[in-house]
Amino acid sequence: MDQTIPEVIRTIPLQHYVFFATALFAIGVLGVLTRRNAIIIFMCVELMLNAVNILLTAFSAYRADPNGQVFVFFIMAVAAAEVAVGLGIIVMIYRNIQNTDVSLLDRLKW
């Protein structure tokens, strides 16, 4: 079995993928820590998941091993379920308090 890296993959060095994914993940963390809107926080979490997916796909392609791409498939399936449940919760919160600001969610305490 030949474990060579395809020519198309070799055109972009692995470090570029790592720097790009690191920047995406950092933007996502910064968004989660600084924003107060639940929808924007939700999108930043998805951005962090996509940064991990980029790294898994790049490492999988460079090693010529499909295991990383299988993990990406499962991460995307879990993310789709997260979107369905998370958006449902956000819609119900908006219906109750007419706002998606997470600082107003202290009303949900007992």
Side-chain angles (χ1 to χ4, degrees):
M1 186 167 151
D2 189 19
Q3 294 288 329
T4 61
I5 301 170
E7 183 64 35
V8 175
I9 302 296
R10 270 190 259 141
T11 58
I12 300 174
L14 186 60
Q15 291 84 7
H16 292 310
Y17 289 110
V18 173
F19 292 144
F20 177 64
T22 303
L24 277 181
F25 195 84
I27 291 169
V29 168
L30 195 74
V32 167
L33 295 177
T34 60
R35 298 296 181 166
R36 297 173 70 166
N37 188 335
I39 295 173
I40 293 176
I41 291 172
F42 199 60
M43 288 180 356
C44 289
V45 169
E46 293 296 322
L47 193 66
M48 289 188 290
L49 284 173
N50 284 330
V52 172
N53 285 343
I54 288 170
L55 276 182
L56 282 171
T57 304
F59 287 139
S60 173
Y62 266 82
R63 291 184 48 101
D65 184 21
N67 288 336
Q69 294 174 8
V70 172
F71 277 122
V72 168
F73 175 75
F74 285 115
I75 290 172
M76 291 179 84
V78 169
E82 173 197 353
V83 166
V85 172
L87 284 179
I89 292 170
I90 289 172
V91 166
M92 290 309 296
I93 289 171
Y94 183 78
R95 284 185 184 174
N96 287 328
I97 62 175
Q98 270 65 42
N99 202 340
T100 59
D101 191 355
V102 292
S103 64
L104 297 176
L105 294 181
D106 61 350
R107 294 183 188 173
L108 298 177
K109 292 181 184 176
W110 293 83

